Amino acid sequence: GGVHFDRTQRNLDLLSFLTQQEVGEVYAVSSNQILGTRSKLDVPEDLVSTVTLDHAGPSFQLYDSFLTPHIASSVEIFGSNGCAVATDWFDANKPTSLAVIRYRQQKPIVTPHVDPYTATVEAFTAAIHSGSRLLATGDDGRYALGVTLAVQESFAKHRPITLRR
């Protein structure tokens, strides 16, 4: 499944968590021209996705790649008052970068380093002992998988894909 089922799906999980909204439409583009060669891969390893939510709000752009190591995977949230950019948020081996951009001025937001795998296990353990809410459920995973499949369909059909639940 390539970058879709690794990075893109995690970025979609982040959007769902941050917005508490469902995705209404996705549009994905890529190129077989990767690092100066023509790729014969059936699944793109370098992908840009635009995500629109069901309800009014900001639009989102996801950039995910296994083949361009000099550019971090990112989630960009575009609003009328600025843009928020998160990079490497899911990778325990890289520092997360979060910044707000307004009028071409970038303001970094300091975030504590959290190992996402440790945090997930700790939250799961807490949910077992206290009954608190899980960070993610099987339904959340199924939903993210459905959106990821829509991203793949969009790439294959060269058009936006509307999601319905």
Side-chain angles (χ1 to χ4, degrees):
V3 78
H4 295 124
F5 289 103
D6 187 343
R7 295 183 178 176
T8 302
Q9 188 161 347
R10 292 177 194 209
N11 286 340
L12 291 165
D13 284 339
L14 176 65
L15 288 180
S16 178
F17 176 77
L18 290 175
T19 65
Q20 297 297 302
Q21 292 187 39
E22 294 183 359
V23 173
E25 184 178 82
V26 295
Y27 181 63
V29 295
S30 184
S31 170
N32 288 340
Q33 184 74 26
I34 300 172
L35 299 179
T37 63
R38 298 294 293 171
S39 173
K40 297 196 184 338
L41 297 173
D42 290 333
V43 177
E45 296 294 328
D46 188 62
L47 181 74
V48 176
S49 307
T50 300
V51 177
T52 305
L53 300 177
D54 265 343
H55 307 291
S59 61
F60 303 87
Q61 182 170 300
L62 313 177
Y63 174 74
D64 297 304
S65 177
F66 285 147
L67 300 176
T68 53
H70 53 281
I71 298 176
S73 288
S74 64
V75 175
E76 299 178 16
I77 304 169
F78 301 103
S80 58
N81 291 319
C83 175
V85 179
T87 58
D88 292 324
W89 68 272
F90 62 85
D91 192 334
N93 298 318
K94 296 179 182 175
T96 297
S97 168
L98 180 61
V100 173
I101 303 168
R102 288 190 179 109
Y103 305 107
R104 298 185 187 186
Q105 300 295 316
Q106 185 168 332
K107 179 181 178 186
I109 298 173
V110 178
T111 58
H113 177 72
V114 176
D115 178 343
Y117 303 108
T118 301
T120 301
V121 171
E122 288 173 351
F124 181 76
T125 303
I128 290 172
H129 293 296
S130 68
S132 61
R133 186 180 183 280
L134 292 168
L135 291 177
T137 66
D139 286 337
D140 296 328
R142 185 174 47 236
Y143 169 75
L145 174 61
V147 178
T148 303
L149 292 172
V151 166
Q152 280 191 319
E153 182 181 355
S154 174
F155 171 74
K157 293 183 176 179
H158 307 287
R159 65 176 177 81
I161 300 297
T162 301
L163 289 99
R164 303 197 198 298
R165 234 187 202 203

